[in-house]
Amino acid sequence: MKVTIPDFALVLLVGPTGAGKTQFARRHFCETEVVSSDRCRALVADDEIDQSATEDAFAVLEAIAERRLKRRRLTVIDATSVQRADRARLHALARRHHALPVPFVFDIDPRICAARNETRAGRDFGAHVPHNHAKALRRDLRHLGKEGFRHITVMRTPEEVDAVAITRVPLWTDQRHDHGPFDIIGDVHGCYDELTALLEALGYERAPYASGEGLLHARHPKGRRAFFVGDLTDRGPANRDCLRLVMGMCAEGQARCVIGNHDFKLSKWLRGRKVKLDHGLDRTVAELESCSPDFRTRVADFIEGLLSHAWLADGSLVVAHAGLKEEMHGRGSSALRSFAMFGETNGAVDEAGLPVRLDWVRNYRGAAEVVYGHTPVAEAQWRNNTLCIDTGCVFGGALTALRWPEHEILSVPAAREYAPPLRPFREGAAGESKAGDGAAGEGAAGEGAAAGPALPERDDILYFDDFARKLRIVTRLGGSITIPQENALAALEIMSRFGIDPRWLIHLPPTMAAPPTASEGPYLEHPDQALAWYARRGGGPVIVEEKHMGSRALIVVARDAACAAKRFGVRDGKAGTIYTRTGRAFFTDAALEAQVIVRIG
């Protein structure tokens, strides 16, 4: 019997004592992958059959399994697990780590089990023990699926046990073999014209447009592939055409796509389930109702086949509609799928009646770059190794793509505002965007949409590890700048001892460029070398000014301390600050600094 299981799972060997679970584990799994209840009894009581040590043994068993699953290692539990309560505890353990719970059920005749136990030293429990185990198992056997277990394998004879051949396959979200290159595209929401304009700007060649229900196609001459973060429809003017193009590109291997909350809700409608036709779904439904049942079935099948996320490029890249925490990468569970589609909420509702979404990015410190959409932002900016590329095209913003691994961001502006945002996400749009507001967006039921704040909520803590490494700064005009780790560490050392609160440092001026060292004479530097430098580069007239000795100061002034806290995130009670070009306090006397700030203000 050939059995396929995920290469990351919590495998339960379920069955009476004497059913052959331990021999099965030795035959099919590595010794380090198996956590045995008998072995754990021996660890805590020096006796594998000491039933008084069962509680402590299972505490050790679950602790080992917990650590292995946290590290994303396949783990096998060799215990009877015939009681529903025992399985429920292990099922919860698997779900905490987004591992699939996979049972191998040994529904073996208890008489065979009893006969085996009689031949094992110290295992003559009596025939009633395997009989009771088998009775408890058979009572719940047909309900294992309802308990949440997947890939259930039931073996009823020793011959069936011996005939099992196990093949391990990667989880569907584990796409580490795929290295791209990708053009990751933000939420489309039915904006077909902007999508085709962005694809063309990215270098894709499109087949001629044809009306109807046939799939549309586009491909990149250099083999690049588009990667959509979901929310293909709703609110925009051409939802059917967006589906035709994305489905066509995916069918030919020219694109990939993960599921968004709007896609999920559309799928429910397509399958005949009751949903509210709001937040743009009404427009999509109106377009699809004029299509054939066959086309609607194809759309439903396409959406249901979309992954919650993709873990790519040796684990260095994750694409998910609403983002994903590090402990969820390359795993699978209903909670993970919900997070990937809807984000993380705290149960509260904002003034617009939408769930308040938690800022998972604030605490993200994962090695993988996470690219996502879902909550519109004014501009795609890297934050804690994550990038939101939903720049609100359907709300009059732009449609944005990230070229990966080049890390180039490309956008095309929306032709117009197709739907009003429930919350402004661009400066000057229907009022001022407020930095520091919590990001509220599409709720856990996918029933709403709101634009997030123009700037992320500020942390009260700066994390040393975020800066004590090689850094890449993306500038608006000059591309990216790389700061080697040794330079970053040197700057941290200086700033941590002498610098003011970094939140105040909105600008540090460049220093003056020193001329080459003087070639002769008693001077370290001489004007001859500076003038020669200009001459070699074709410079014209050079203006020479006397440098007046004095200190330059940078001054930041706010209306009051509350305004400064709101704008800069500082919590020192000051309405401003004065500092040197190296980021140190200009005045050592805090009272004098306050007087100057008040006067300037």
Side-chain angles (χ1 to χ4, degrees):
M1 177 168 46
K2 296 181 179 180
V3 178
T4 299
I5 66 171
D7 63 0
F8 171 63
L10 180 63
V11 177
L12 276 62
L13 307 184
V14 182
T17 176
K21 300 186 298 298
T22 300
Q23 291 300 321
F24 183 88
R26 289 173 181 168
R27 188 162 63 250
H28 294 287
F29 302 100
C30 299
E31 180 182 357
T32 54
E33 294 176 326
V34 181
V35 187
S36 164
S37 59
D38 289 344
R39 176 61 178 161
C40 288
R41 283 192 190 91
L43 289 174
V44 300
D46 297 322
D47 187 350
E48 287 188 353
I49 62 174
D50 184 352
Q51 298 302 306
S52 68
T54 295
E55 183 176 347
D56 290 337
F58 272 86
V60 172
L61 179 147
E62 292 180 17
I64 296 172
E66 185 99 44
R67 293 297 177 177
R68 286 187 58 84
L69 293 175
K70 183 178 180 180
R71 298 178 65 86
R72 202 181 181 277
R73 310 304 298 178
L74 183 138
T75 303
V76 181
I77 302 298
D78 179 9
T80 58
S81 301
V82 294
Q83 298 293 336
R84 183 167 186 168
D86 295 335
R87 292 192 301 274
R89 194 165 62 248
L90 294 172
H91 180 275
L93 171 62
R95 298 291 76 179
R96 281 200 302 275
H97 296 281
H98 311 287
L100 293 186
V102 176
F104 283 86
V105 181
F106 295 74
D107 185 16
I108 305 298
D109 188 329
R111 292 172 295 182
I112 296 176
C113 299
R116 287 174 172 173
N117 285 334
E118 289 177 358
T119 64
R120 300 166 66 190
R123 297 288 176 151
D124 187 7
F125 302 118
H128 69 285
V129 174
H131 175 80
N132 291 339
H133 285 172
K135 182 179 179 180
L137 171 62
R138 290 167 179 172
R139 181 178 60 240
D140 296 328
L141 184 55
R142 67 177 185 273
H143 302 303
L144 287 180
K146 293 182 179 179
E147 292 180 21
F149 292 98
R150 299 292 182 266
H151 302 276
I152 301 169
T153 301
V154 180
M155 300 161 289
R156 291 187 166 86
T157 67
E159 291 74 22
E160 289 185 358
V161 173
D162 293 339
V164 168
I166 298 176
T167 301
R168 305 187 195 187
V169 297
L171 278 173
W172 50 89
T173 57
D174 184 352
Q175 305 286 320
R176 286 177 289 177
H177 63 278
D178 194 345
H179 292 77
F182 303 114
D183 298 308
I184 308 172
I185 298 175
D187 300 35
V188 177
H189 280 302
C191 299
Y192 179 78
D193 290 342
E194 288 82 358
L195 173 56
T196 55
L198 180 59
L199 288 173
E200 290 175 1
L202 290 166
Y204 287 76
E205 298 172 349
R206 288 191 301 124
Y209 176 84
S211 59
E213 298 179 357
L215 300 183
L216 303 172
H217 304 283
R219 65 174 59 234
H220 199 285
K222 296 184 178 180
R224 302 183 67 88
R225 282 172 293 156
F227 208 130
F228 297 91
V229 301
D231 278 7
L232 304 175
T233 64
D234 298 352
R235 297 193 180 94
N239 300 283
R240 180 178 64 176
D241 283 345
C242 286
L243 287 169
R244 293 169 63 206
L245 179 55
V246 175
M247 289 167 60
M249 294 180 69
C250 289
E252 290 191 338
Q254 304 301 318
R256 301 189 59 180
C257 185
V258 293
I259 191 169
N261 57 305
H262 281 259
D263 310 313
F264 175 70
K265 190 175 177 183
L266 174 60
S267 174
K268 291 169 65 177
W269 176 82
L270 288 166
R271 294 305 191 195
R273 298 175 63 182
K274 187 176 181 180
V275 294
K276 292 183 179 180
L277 301 182
D278 54 5
H279 304 294
L281 180 59
D282 52 337
R283 301 187 68 166
T284 304
V285 167
E287 291 186 47
L288 294 182
E289 282 182 331
S290 64
C291 297
S292 67
D294 178 66
F295 180 76
R296 291 198 294 270
T297 299
R298 293 175 69 186
V299 173
D301 292 343
F302 171 75
I303 295 175
E304 289 182 4
L306 297 179
L307 300 178
S308 62
H309 73 287
W311 191 32
L312 302 152
D314 296 327
S316 64
L317 173 66
V318 170
V319 179
H321 176 64
L324 209 63
K325 294 180 177 180
E326 183 180 22
E327 59 267 26
M328 296 178 172
H329 296 176
R331 304 180 183 226
S333 71
S334 57
L336 183 155
R337 188 172 178 85
S338 178
F339 190 107
M341 286 193 292
F342 307 116
E344 186 177 28
T345 62
N346 62 4
V349 177
D350 68 3
E351 64 275 10
L354 299 171
V356 175
R357 188 174 306 132
L358 302 180
D359 185 12
W360 66 273
V361 175
R362 165 181 287 191
N363 296 316
Y364 181 77
R365 297 296 182 274
E369 295 175 333
V370 181
V371 183
Y372 63 103
H374 190 46
T375 302
V377 293
E379 181 183 359
Q381 294 181 336
W382 287 98
R383 179 184 175 215
N384 288 352
N385 215 26
T386 76
L387 182 71
C388 178
I389 55 172
D390 179 8
T391 47
C393 182
V394 77
F395 300 125
L399 188 61
T400 296
L402 170 72
R403 284 191 175 113
W404 196 93
E406 297 85 352
H407 295 93
E408 297 174 2
I409 297 174
L410 181 66
S411 299
V412 296
R416 62 183 178 88
E417 181 182 280
Y418 299 103
L422 298 182
R423 184 191 297 271
F425 69 99
R426 292 172 295 156
E427 293 290 349
E432 181 182 355
S433 292
K434 298 179 180 179
D437 288 348
E442 288 155 331
E447 299 297 335
L455 294 172
E457 185 176 354
R458 291 181 173 80
D459 285 329
D460 289 332
I461 298 174
L462 294 177
Y463 295 92
F464 180 86
D465 290 346
D466 288 352
F467 304 96
R469 56 186 174 85
K470 180 181 177 181
L471 302 171
R472 187 183 72 253
I473 300 173
V474 180
T475 69
R476 274 194 179 86
L477 302 177
S480 62
I481 299 171
T482 298
I483 301 176
Q485 183 183 34
E486 57 270 24
N487 294 48
L489 289 171
L492 277 172
E493 196 274 334
I494 294 296
M495 292 303 299
S496 63
R497 291 204 292 157
F498 305 112
I500 66 171
D501 187 331
R503 296 171 180 83
W504 280 115
L505 300 179
I506 60 174
H507 177 67
L508 285 175
T511 186
M512 293 177 291
T517 304
S519 57
E520 57 184 23
Y523 303 105
L524 177 64
E525 297 170 353
H526 193 277
D528 286 347
Q529 279 69 44
L531 296 172
W533 188 91
Y534 285 108
R536 285 195 303 270
R537 285 157 180 77
V542 176
I543 299 174
V544 180
E545 294 183 349
E546 180 181 359
K547 181 177 185 293
H548 295 278
M549 297 306 296
S551 298
R552 288 176 289 171
L554 290 93
I555 305 170
V556 182
V557 181
R559 181 178 295 112
D560 50 38
C563 183
K566 182 178 179 181
R567 174 61 180 82
F568 303 112
V570 293
R571 298 290 186 271
D572 53 14
K574 296 165 60 173
T577 190
I578 305 175
Y579 59 92
T580 70
R581 62 184 178 86
T582 59
R584 306 185 185 199
F586 190 87
F587 292 109
T588 57
D589 186 339
L592 177 59
E593 180 190 57
Q595 293 177 15
V596 176
I597 291 295
V598 168
R599 178 160 184 181
I600 294 172

